[in-house]
Amino acid sequence: MSSTSKEVGRFFKHSGIYAIGNALNRVGAFLLLPIYTRLLSPAEYGTLETLYLVSTVVSGVLGVGIAHATLRFYFDYKDAADRRSVVSTNLMASLVISIAGVLLVSLFANPIAAWLFNGQSLGRAFQWMLATIVFELASQVGLAYVRAVERSMLFIVVSFVKLVVQVIANSIALMHFNAGVEGVMAGNCLTVALGFAVLSWVTLRECGLRFEWAKLMPVLRYSLPLLWTTMVGIVASTADRFLLQSLVSLEALGIYALALKLSKLASDLVGEPINRAYGAFRFTIMERDDAGIIQAQVVRYLAVILSLIGLAIVLFAGDALRLIAAPAYWSAARYLPWLVLAAVLQVLTYPLQTGIYYQKKSSSIFHIALAACLVGLALGVPLIWAFGILGACLTVLGVSIVSLVMTDRISQRHFPVHYEWRKLATLLALVVAVAIAGQAADQLPLLWSLPLRFVLGAAFLVGIVATRVIEPAELAAARAKLMQRLGRPSGAAA
């Protein structure tokens, strides 16, 4: 096996482990989905989504990009003591910044809640949200350390424990105490706090408790452009939901939030674990002559995996909603094709940023985020006003396209990569064809629609082989690797 293939294999090995852990993180939300969509009205689900939006805004500002910078600067130091010191320093800085910021926001909790929810009583839901932010931001620094040392199995253990706690806590809050939105936020806080405790204990045990201003200042200088980028990115990524709430209704936001959650299965199951693995991996290969080839292969394989997951969501989510959700939520399925495509493009944008981050041109990320923000606002107001939920979907897709194209154009200046655009275009055509054909199944009874959807999925798999999106040699290599893992010779009969 070539050294290029070995590096790609090492990357996907850790990505696969992170995928398992990330799936465990998301399983809790989907195990609870039947409870949420039965015991919470669309308006209450919209309220929950609005709290998550506020959390996203506050977390983005207070995070200051420290978690990402931890990963970046860890590899700048060659001495193990310096590496441990930068992790410990950033963990303490994150805690101090997040606690101070949350205390400041808490002073304005009542006016913010009155403005967003028109005087609706939230109990202590807002306070639970603020506490969760502190634990989550500190956890991200611990997770950055785990990624840097490639301790991906630890991530699985933490994810499994959090899954159990979240399902139990939120189920009891809703089914036994009928605590509504406040109960969900309390259960989420308990879950995140537990993850923070485990990750911080591991990080401090191995890195020690050490603070160095000399380590923190370069991190903050690097992160400042990322902070502005994050703030602009937050506007771009949340404007659709804030506009939907203000221009349409909380009920519409609840339906849209459910569709968005389903569409993001692609990024939850594939995108986030890929990002966790690739964030560290790409900095370890940049001195290789074949770094560009490795990047191009990763992007193509990632696009195929995302297409499979995305098609599965589009083809089967509608029937799933009819089985688990109240009728008020069923219309969410019709918006999935647009949102799934947007989610796939968002995931593919991350590896395209390699040249920008390697050359530490983080200001370019800000310019991209600013353009995406302006596009989101320019599209969002008229489209959401005219088409409601569909307008929000089209806005998100437009922002995703702009971000991906700009990222590729700028990153190519610093790290030229010859992507396999013909194969990627063929893959996109196959996806669109199967998705359109899948719409016909919506008109059939469940007994007939399910077999048709499986046939369409199989046709897609045949199509990516027949059109050589995946080469026969690559399939043979994957099969040989699988047989090796199973302890069987590659030529053995299946």
Side-chain angles (χ1 to χ4, degrees), residues 243 372-387 391-400 402:
L243 288 172
C373 176
L374 295 176
V375 169
L377 293 174
L379 292 177
V381 173
L383 288 178
I384 293 173
W385 180 80
F387 303 108
C393 298
L394 296 175
T395 300
V396 171
L397 180 58
V399 169
S400 300
V402 169

Side-chain angles (χ1 to χ4, degrees), residues 72-350:
R72 179 65 184 91
F73 280 83
Y74 181 91
F75 289 100
D76 270 2
Y77 296 104
K78 304 304 179 185
D79 183 70
D82 287 329
R83 288 182 166 185
R84 291 192 295 267
S85 179
V86 76
V87 173
S88 176
T89 296
N90 288 354
L91 177 59
M92 287 187 280
S94 179
L95 273 172
V96 171
I97 293 171
S98 59
I99 291 173
V102 158
L103 289 175
L104 180 63
V105 173
S106 67
L107 298 177
F108 303 94
N110 290 334
I112 293 173
W115 170 56
L116 289 173
F117 304 105
N118 298 320
Q120 176 185 345
S121 176
L122 298 177
R124 295 187 177 275
F126 205 90
Q127 286 71 28
W128 286 118
M129 178 202 70
L130 293 177
T132 304
I133 290 172
V134 175
F135 296 129
E136 180 62 33
L137 291 178
S139 297
Q140 289 176 7
V141 176
L143 181 58
Y145 172 69
V146 169
R147 293 166 61 190
V149 297
E150 296 188 345
R151 296 269 297 280
S152 43
M153 286 302 298
L154 175 61
F155 179 63
I156 287 186
V157 173
V158 173
S159 299
F160 179 75
V161 174
K162 288 173 65 178
L163 163 66
V164 174
V165 172
Q166 182 185 30
V167 170
I168 293 175
N170 288 16
S171 296
I172 292 174
L174 287 175
M175 300 177 70
H176 182 70
F177 293 103
N178 195 27
V181 172
E182 182 179 358
V184 173
M185 299 306 294
N188 291 348
C189 183
L190 176 63
T191 302
V192 174
L194 181 61
F196 158 76
V198 175
L199 287 171
S200 297
W201 177 75
V202 170
T203 301
L204 293 177
R205 185 189 65 177
E206 298 182 4
C207 297
L209 191 61
R210 183 179 177 184
F211 183 87
E212 292 187 42
W213 279 107
K215 294 286 195 303
L216 180 61
M217 296 312 295
V219 167
L220 293 179
R221 283 194 295 270
Y222 173 81
S223 299
L224 184 58
L226 295 179
L227 172 60
W228 295 113
T229 300
T230 300
M231 293 174 66
V232 172
I234 286 170
V235 175
S237 63
T238 62
D240 55 330
R241 283 162 285 177
F242 279 121
L243 288 172
L244 197 58
Q245 181 208 29
S246 60
L247 296 178
V248 188
S249 65
L250 271 176
E251 289 81 358
L253 177 59
I255 298 297
Y256 179 69
L258 178 59
L260 206 59
K261 182 183 291 292
L262 294 172
S263 70
K264 288 188 178 296
L265 268 174
S267 55
D268 291 342
L269 296 178
V270 179
E272 288 190 25
I274 289 289
N275 292 353
R276 288 193 173 105
Y278 202 67
F281 172 83
R282 60 182 164 195
F283 295 125
T284 68
I285 65 168
M286 291 303 292
E287 301 301 323
R288 294 171 57 101
D289 293 335
D290 59 351
I293 297 174
I294 293 173
Q295 165 112 352
Q297 286 186 358
V298 167
V299 168
R300 176 163 56 89
Y301 295 156
L302 177 57
V304 171
I305 296 170
L306 287 167
S307 298
L308 287 169
I309 300 294
L311 276 177
I313 296 168
V314 171
L315 291 176
F316 296 101
D319 290 336
L321 281 179
R322 285 169 171 76
L323 293 174
I324 67 171
Y329 289 96
W330 291 357
S331 61
R334 73 177 66 152
Y335 306 108
L336 286 174
W338 308 101
L339 293 175
V340 167
L341 179 57
V344 167
L345 296 179
Q346 289 164 11
V347 174
L348 289 173
T349 299
Y350 184 77

Side-chain angles (χ1 to χ4, degrees), residues 436-447:
I436 292 175
Q439 300 300 308
D442 294 340
Q443 313 303 320
L444 300 175
L446 186 62
L447 182 63

